[in-house]
Amino acid sequence: MKLCRHGPRGREKPGLVAPDGTIRDLSGVMEELTGVADLAGAALAPRNLAKLKKLKPEQLPKVSSRARIGACVGGTRNFIGVGLNYADHAAETHAEVPKEPILFNKAPSCINGPDDDVMIPKDSKKTDWEVELAVVIGTRARYVDEKDALKFVAGFCICNDVSERSFQTERSGQWMKGKGCETFGPLGPWLVTPDEIKDVQNLDMWLDVNGERMQTGSTRTMVFGVSTLVSYVSQFLVLEPGDVITTGTPPGVGMAKKPPKYLRPGDVITLGVQGLGMQCQKVVACA
């Protein structure tokens, strides 16, 4: 099942992607079925996703093809990133493969629609791109065993982990300085439930800037897989339904190019992950 959120920023409604690719509006039935009006919180519980799966899309109202698609999950409290989690990406940045996952925070306020503009922050000179597989939590998770970890996952989506490298690595302190800037967390377009994904550790990924291929990779080269990450993060904080873990990026980021290449106003980023759809963002200057 593919779910989404559509409509103006801050007023998004839940939607279901029908087999023919049209988006069907769930706002008329969502609260009655799940107790929650948005695709957020308890709506992501397995029992509620099962109720949504039983709906007949053709009986739901069509959403205009011109409607804005918002981030595919609402109410996110924790937005956790994982650094250097692809062996080939670690190699391109001349970094050691970590012995344990490197975790950092992305601010929930940076979450953006998949096709919304990405804004370069003030004083930025090194805004970079990162195509990633993101995991959306569906069930409260604390001290989860790795063998059970996928039971706590509501679904998967694309994240562009936009990063400002000088803020991240040259300004001292933690990586979050360059990770949580406004618009730096596009999520979606779809929240894809695990039953739709044959093997989450074998998904192709790509990212282009202005039509030029920058990243080509696969979740096969993750250092720590999805189950490991969900279990690991749950040892340090409680994950609530709607929380997001974005799991790292394959090689091809701008800072590793020779010479380095960074985003500028007017650039267009397109990116995708197999089975999860595609994003497209225009880069703009800070308002």
Side-chain angles (χ1 to χ4, degrees), residues 9 42 67 69 82 87 144 146 150 162 164 199 201 208 236 247 263 283:
R9 183 186 295 275
I69 302 299
V82 184
V144 171
E146 186 172 334
L150 290 181
V162 187
E164 212 297 333
D199 182 0
Q201 299 304 155
D208 295 349
F236 302 100
T247 60
L263 294 167
V283 179

Side-chain angles (χ1 to χ4, degrees), residues 69-227:
I69 302 299
C72 61
V73 62
T76 299
R77 302 186 207 180
N78 293 300
F79 191 3
I80 307 297
V82 184
L84 299 174
N85 194 37
Y86 281 67
D88 37 9
H89 173 54
E92 75 168 348
T93 59
H94 307 291
E96 279 189 40
V97 173
K99 295 178 181 178
E100 292 190 38
I102 296 171
L103 304 182
F104 58 88
N105 288 100
K106 285 181 76 75
S109 59
C110 83
I111 292 174
N112 214 21
D115 301 326
D116 291 343
D117 292 345
V118 164
M119 185 171 65
I120 294 179
K122 290 182 178 180
D123 302 319
S124 166
K125 294 179 173 56
K126 298 181 179 180
T127 297
D128 205 346
W129 55 82
E130 295 190 10
V131 59
E132 304 201 1
L133 168 75
V135 180
V136 178
I137 299 299
T139 303
R140 190 173 192 264
R142 60 184 294 274
Y143 300 113
V144 171
D145 287 336
E146 186 172 334
K147 63 181 175 56
D148 298 322
L150 290 181
K151 297 176 184 176
F152 294 80
V153 173
F156 305 102
C157 65
I158 302 168
C159 175
N160 187 357
D161 178 20
V162 187
S163 307
E164 212 297 333
R165 302 303 187 185
S166 61
F167 296 178
Q168 177 187 351
T169 63
E170 299 169 18
R171 299 284 294 272
S172 77
Q174 298 185 354
W175 286 11
M176 65 175 290
K177 288 181 180 179
K179 293 288 191 173
C181 303
E182 190 176 0
T183 76
F184 271 25
L187 294 177
W190 321 133
L191 174 64
V192 181
T193 53
D195 59 294
E196 295 263 335
I197 304 298
K198 183 177 179 182
D199 182 0
V200 75
Q201 299 304 155
N202 189 22
L203 301 178
D204 293 333
M205 318 164 70
W206 59 273
L207 182 145
D208 295 349
V209 178
N210 300 328
E212 180 183 354
R213 182 58 46 94
M214 297 296 176
Q215 290 187 271
T216 302
S218 169
T219 59
R220 289 190 304 273
T221 66
M222 276 188 185
V223 179
F224 305 102
V226 168
S227 294

